[in-house]
Amino acid sequence: MRRTAGIRLSLSALLIVGALTGTGAVAAERSSAEQPVAEPALVNALERDLGLSEEQAVERLAQEADAIAVEPDAKRAAAEAFGGSWFDAEAGTLVVGVTDREYAEPVLATGAEVELVDHTQAALDATLVAIDELAGPEGAPEGVSSWHVDPLANSVVVNVVSGAESDAEVAAFLADAQAEGPVEVRSVAGAPQTLAAGTVGGDPYYTGNVRCSIGFSVHGGFVTAGHCGGGGAAVYGWDRSLIGHFQGSSFPGNDYAYVSVGNGWWTEPVVLGWGTVSDALVRGSNEAPVGASICRSGSTTGWHCGTLLAKNETVNYSSGEVVYQLTKTSVCAEGGDSGGSYISGDQAQGVTSGGWGNCSSGGETWYQPLNEILSAYGLTLHTA
């Protein structure tokens, strides 16, 4: 069920150095020509949360920007042999899995590295869908927290809350899941929960007695988490003046919403740094790869950073709701952070859905990818 002996290919391994002279510099040339200087806010946050030096943080942000730019071309080059992709922080490059050695050369030509794997992304996605169907609308047993395709493991990972493995319903679900395809079971420390909160002070938005956080400005409003409010609900700002109303909301299944902005309020292409770091400008919404650094802003815990751990994960919230196609991170969050912004470099990534743990002891969180929200409601991101 694991990758094929972990074989990573290089230009020299394929004896094509001469034929591809200069192609390995594609990403570097693109970065130096197009990428802005690293924002001090992001550099400071990566130093604090990932334990990097200033030089390492600047270098990593540049490498991740390259990986984001290279990924679409690399995926197309891998064609039907595509076995997933991820950012290798140690090597500082995008890695693409392929199931057929013949596709290695065109992928390498894009500037990515290549690793031979056993299963295509399509096969792993099919296994994920089969597990979704096993869970059904009622969700999986309570001890099963989530499941996702892990490109590094080249398998579908099913996460089980520590201590729940011996539960009969959990064991039966895992057995059925493993019969569907390449599945790996992992233990996690906590069960995921949504992160809305009751009314408290701070810089939030309110709907009813729920406090959540603004995600990203779009033309005409902002996006946030769907579990924070239903369609038509009034939304009030930090000063309790009316901002607008939920124009659309989807939860469970999805976890996104769109709020109109008016009544003297306006939108800005900014993510708040909460005094910990400078506010960050939003310049686009290109997706970061697995393994990239990512930061989150929320009205309870402010600004925190971590690593993008998995994409397209199905989350079985402890309150009974199932949400599909979320992205998992190592960033902490707490109640009231729901709906807040995830950003990688200057690229908007998504809005906070839920998590487990807290910002004292640590934990994991999930976000609803932004581009799906923009597409669902026909919105345009407000960019700097």
Side-chain angles (χ1 to χ4, degrees):
M1 299 301 185
R2 303 281 294 183
R3 68 179 76 259
T4 306
I7 301 172
R8 185 168 295 185
L9 303 180
S10 64
L11 296 179
S12 58
L14 293 174
L15 302 178
I16 55 174
V17 176
L20 294 178
T21 299
T23 57
V26 170
E29 291 171 0
R30 176 162 38 218
S31 176
S32 61
E34 299 178 8
Q35 297 301 327
V37 176
E39 295 283 352
L42 297 175
V43 174
N44 293 340
L46 294 190
E47 289 181 66
R48 182 194 68 183
D49 291 344
L50 296 187
L52 303 178
S53 67
E54 180 179 359
E55 182 179 1
Q56 289 170 329
V58 170
E59 181 180 26
R60 178 156 177 174
L61 287 169
Q63 291 168 338
E64 290 174 353
D66 290 341
I68 291 171
V70 165
E71 189 172 36
D73 290 340
K75 183 176 180 179
R76 282 191 291 270
E80 65 269 18
F82 180 66
S85 59
W86 61 96
F87 177 74
D88 184 336
E90 198 170 310
T93 187
L94 182 75
V95 182
V96 174
V98 296
T99 57
D100 188 334
R101 190 184 185 96
E102 291 184 6
Y103 289 86
E105 182 176 340
V107 173
L108 288 165
T110 69
E113 291 192 18
V114 172
E115 197 156 298
L116 291 177
V117 296
D118 292 326
H119 309 288
T120 65
Q121 180 76 40
L124 297 175
D125 287 343
T127 301
L128 185 76
V129 170
I131 298 174
D132 287 344
E133 292 173 350
L134 280 177
E138 300 301 318
E142 187 174 341
V144 179
S145 75
S146 63
W147 48 97
H148 69 275
V149 172
D150 184 342
L152 284 78
N154 196 226
S155 67
V156 175
V157 170
V158 179
N159 296 299
V160 177
V161 178
S162 180
E165 299 90 344
S166 58
D167 179 84
E169 289 188 3
V170 171
F173 181 84
L174 293 176
D176 290 342
Q178 289 171 319
E180 297 294 342
V183 168
E184 178 181 325
V185 179
R186 294 179 187 168
S187 177
V188 294
Q193 305 174 49
T194 54
L195 295 171
T199 300
V200 296
D203 189 14
Y205 75 84
Y206 300 90
T207 178
N209 67 342
V210 171
R211 174 172 62 85
C212 281
S213 303
I214 292 172
F216 291 96
S217 292
V218 296
H219 291 288
F222 66 83
V223 295
T224 187
H227 70 263
C228 290
V235 174
Y236 300 88
W238 63 270
D239 61 354
R240 295 312 184 111
S241 66
L242 180 67
I243 296 177
H245 294 79
F246 278 87
Q247 300 299 311
S249 181
S250 180
F251 179 81
N254 303 299
D255 196 3
Y256 53 65
Y258 164 49
V259 175
S260 60
V261 167
N263 306 293
W265 292 77
W266 63 91
T267 64
E268 293 286 353
V270 170
V271 174
L272 294 175
W274 296 98
T276 302
V277 296
S278 302
D279 296 344
L281 293 176
V282 177
R283 292 192 172 94
S285 61
N286 295 323
E287 282 193 24
V290 169
S293 63
I294 192 163
C295 298
R296 179 195 56 73
S297 181
S299 64
T300 297
T301 59
W303 182 278
H304 289 273
C305 299
T307 304
L308 198 157
L309 300 176
K311 294 185 179 184
N312 196 23
E313 181 153 41
T314 302
V315 178
N316 192 48
Y317 282 121
S318 57
S319 50
E321 300 92 352
V322 176
V323 182
Y324 304 99
Q325 297 179 327
L326 296 183
T327 299
K328 180 164 66 176
T329 81
S330 65
V331 187
C332 68
E334 297 178 13
D337 285 329
S338 275
S341 323
Y342 279 83
I343 188 166
S344 183
D346 56 13
Q347 299 297 306
Q349 299 297 309
V351 301
T352 305
S353 175
W356 62 267
N358 56 53
C359 288
S360 297
S361 60
E364 293 177 335
T365 51
W366 289 265
Y367 66 79
Q368 169 74 57
L370 174 64
N371 288 332
E372 182 182 353
I373 312 174
L374 301 179
S375 177
Y377 295 123
L379 303 172
T380 301
L381 182 66
H382 189 172
T383 56

